[in-house]
Coordinates of all heavy atoms in Angstrom, one line a residue:
T1726 N 183.2 -133.3 129.5 CA 183.0 -132.4 128.4 C 182.0 -133.0 127.4 O 181.1 -132.4 127.0 CB 184.4 -132.2 127.7 OG1 185.2 -131.4 128.6 CG2 184.1 -131.3 126.5
Y1727 N 182.2 -134.3 127.1 CA 181.3 -134.9 126.1 C 179.9 -135.0 126.7 O 178.9 -134.9 126.0 CB 181.8 -136.3 125.8 CG 183.1 -136.3 124.9 CD1 184.2 -137.1 125.2 CD2 183.2 -135.5 123.8 CE1 185.3 -137.0 124.5 CE2 184.3 -135.4 123.0 CZ 185.4 -136.2 123.4 OH 186.5 -136.2 122.6
I1728 N 179.7 -135.2 128.0 CA 178.4 -135.3 128.6 C 177.8 -133.9 128.4 O 176.6 -133.8 128.1 CB 178.5 -135.6 130.1 CG1 178.9 -137.1 130.3 CG2 177.2 -135.4 130.8 CD1 179.2 -137.5 131.7
T1729 N 178.5 -132.8 128.7 CA 178.0 -131.5 128.6 C 177.5 -131.2 127.2 O 176.5 -130.6 126.9 CB 179.0 -130.5 129.1 OG1 179.4 -130.8 130.4 CG2 178.5 -129.1 129.0
L1730 N 178.4 -131.5 126.2 CA 178.0 -131.3 124.8 C 176.7 -132.0 124.4 O 175.9 -131.5 123.7 CB 179.2 -131.7 123.9 CG 180.5 -130.8 124.0 CD1 181.6 -131.5 123.2 CD2 180.2 -129.4 123.6
G1731 N 176.6 -133.2 124.9 CA 175.4 -134.1 124.5 C 174.1 -133.5 125.1 O 173.1 -133.4 124.4
V1732 N 174.1 -133.1 126.4 CA 172.9 -132.6 127.0 C 172.5 -131.3 126.4 O 171.3 -130.9 126.3 CB 173.0 -132.6 128.5 CG1 173.2 -134.0 129.1 CG2 174.1 -131.7 129.0
T1733 N 173.5 -130.5 126.0 CA 173.2 -129.2 125.4 C 172.5 -129.3 124.1 O 171.6 -128.6 123.8 CB 174.5 -128.3 125.2 OG1 175.2 -128.2 126.5 CG2 174.2 -127.0 124.7
A1734 N 173.0 -130.3 123.3 CA 172.4 -130.6 122.0 C 170.9 -131.1 122.2 O 170.0 -130.6 121.5 CB 173.2 -131.7 121.3
A1735 N 170.7 -131.9 123.2 CA 169.3 -132.3 123.5 C 168.4 -131.2 123.9 O 167.2 -131.1 123.5 CB 169.4 -133.4 124.7
S1736 N 168.9 -130.2 124.6 CA 168.1 -129.0 125.0 C 167.7 -128.2 123.8 O 166.6 -127.7 123.7 CB 168.8 -128.2 126.1 OG 170.0 -127.5 125.5
L1737 N 168.7 -128.1 122.8 CA 168.3 -127.3 121.6 C 167.3 -128.0 120.8 O 166.4 -127.3 120.2 CB 169.6 -127.1 120.8 CG 170.7 -126.1 121.4 CD1 171.9 -126.1 120.5 CD2 170.1 -124.7 121.6
L1738 N 167.3 -129.3 120.7 CA 166.2 -130.0 120.1 C 164.9 -129.8 120.8 O 163.9 -129.6 120.1 CB 166.5 -131.5 120.1 CG 167.5 -132.0 119.0 CD1 167.8 -133.5 119.3 CD2 167.0 -131.8 117.6
G1739 N 164.9 -129.7 122.1 CA 163.7 -129.5 122.8 C 163.2 -128.1 122.6 O 162.0 -127.9 122.4
F1740 N 164.0 -127.1 122.5 CA 163.6 -125.7 122.2 C 162.9 -125.7 120.8 O 162.0 -124.9 120.5 CB 164.7 -124.7 122.2 CG 165.2 -124.3 123.5 CD1 166.5 -124.1 123.8 CD2 164.3 -124.0 124.5 CE1 167.0 -123.7 125.1 CE2 164.7 -123.6 125.8 CZ 166.0 -123.5 126.1
S1741 N 163.4 -126.5 119.9 CA 162.9 -126.5 118.5 C 161.5 -127.1 118.3 O 160.8 -126.7 117.5 CB 163.9 -127.2 117.6 OG 165.2 -126.6 117.6
F1742 N 161.2 -128.1 119.2 CA 160.0 -128.8 119.0 C 159.0 -128.8 120.1 O 157.8 -129.1 119.9 CB 160.3 -130.3 118.7 CG 161.1 -130.5 117.4 CD1 162.5 -130.9 117.5 CD2 160.5 -130.3 116.2 CE1 163.2 -131.1 116.3 CE2 161.2 -130.5 115.0 CZ 162.6 -130.9 115.1

Side-chain angles (χ1 to χ4, degrees):
T1726 296
Y1727 290 131
I1728 289 171
T1729 304
L1730 293 173
V1732 298
T1733 302
S1736 69
L1737 290 175
L1738 281 174
F1740 282 141
S1741 301
F1742 296 108

